[in-house]
Each structure stands twice: as structure tokens, then as C-alpha cells.
Amino acid sequence: MWKIKAWAKRLKQQIYVLYLSYKDERVPWYAKIFTACVVAYAFSPIDLIPDFIPILGYLDDVIIVPIGIMVALKMIPKEVISECDDKAKNMMKNGKPKNWVVGSLIILLWSIIMLWVILKAYQIFS
């Protein structure tokens, strides 16, 4: 049980590292785009596979997010990761950042996607 908690804590810290790395000018543009997508997905309250679906619901939390983090960390220069890792440790001690604008944009984006899916489904079935 302790291994799972330690793994989850490390995963959370790595998400903060990606969050901070995204803002660094030394990170290539393609890495910034991928990193932003991984962080947005990790912080998003809406999952690709809803959690209420047995077994598959937690698939994204256990497989998709860690793989995305691993790929994003490989794209970012080591010195940036090292600096951001120290900052992330401090952030975890002091509490996570609250950015209501970004949170609102994520919810708006997912709402637009869901509306588009509903409209397409309506067109297909009517």
C-alpha cells in the first residue's frame, strides 16, 4: 500500500515539474505543446474513459497519464527538469497553484468537445 502512495506522490510531483517546465523558454515548442496537453489532461476533471466504467475507467489514470509524463520528460532538457523538480517539491509543500483562467478554459474546451459529440450523434441517429 505504501508503494502505491509513494508512486502516486511522485506522479503528482512529476506533473508539477511538467507544469513548471512548460513555462521555461529553454523547452522546445513541440515539447511545450505535448507537455501542456499532458498537464491539462492530468488536471482535467473529465477523463477520456469515465471512472465509473469498471476497470477501464481507471485505465487512463494508471497507464495513459504516466506514459504521457514519461514521454514529456524525455523531451525536456535535463537541466530544466532538475530546476523544476526543486520548485515542484516546494509547491507540493505549500499547496498547488490555483489558476482559475486555465481551469475555466479546460472546462470550456471539454464542454465544446462534448457538445460537438452530442450534435454529431444526434445527426447520425436522426
Side-chain angles (χ1 to χ4, degrees), residues 104-124:
S104 299
L105 288 175
I106 290 170
I107 291 171
L108 178 65
L109 176 67
W110 278 108
S111 298
I112 290 170
I113 291 170
M114 291 301 291
L115 180 63
W116 180 79
V117 168
I118 290 169
L119 290 175
K120 287 296 179 183
Y122 180 75
Q123 290 175 352
I124 291 171

Side-chain angles (χ1 to χ4, degrees), residues 2-42:
W2 292 105
K3 288 182 181 182
I4 294 173
K5 283 187 177 185
W7 176 77
K9 186 176 180 181
R10 181 69 185 148
L11 196 68
K12 186 176 179 181
Q13 182 178 339
Q14 289 173 334
I15 293 169
Y16 285 136
V17 169
L18 293 179
Y19 170 77
L20 295 168
S21 298
Y22 170 78
K23 298 177 180 184
D24 197 298
E25 65 275 351
R26 295 173 289 178
V27 176
W29 65 270
Y30 57 88
K32 284 186 177 195
I33 292 172
F34 187 78
T35 298
C37 291
V38 170
V39 171
Y41 186 75

Side-chain angles (χ1 to χ4, degrees), residues 71-84:
V71 171
L73 287 173
K74 291 197 182 285
M75 294 179 175
I76 299 169
K78 301 283 186 220
E79 61 273 0
V80 174
I81 292 174
S82 178
E83 290 174 19
C84 292

Side-chain angles (χ1 to χ4, degrees), residues 28-62:
W29 65 270
Y30 57 88
K32 284 186 177 195
I33 292 172
F34 187 78
T35 298
C37 291
V38 170
V39 171
Y41 186 75
F43 285 143
S44 175
I46 302 172
D47 290 337
L48 186 63
I49 304 168
D51 289 341
F52 63 82
I53 298 174
I55 300 169
L56 293 177
Y58 294 103
L59 183 68
D60 61 338
D61 298 330
V62 176

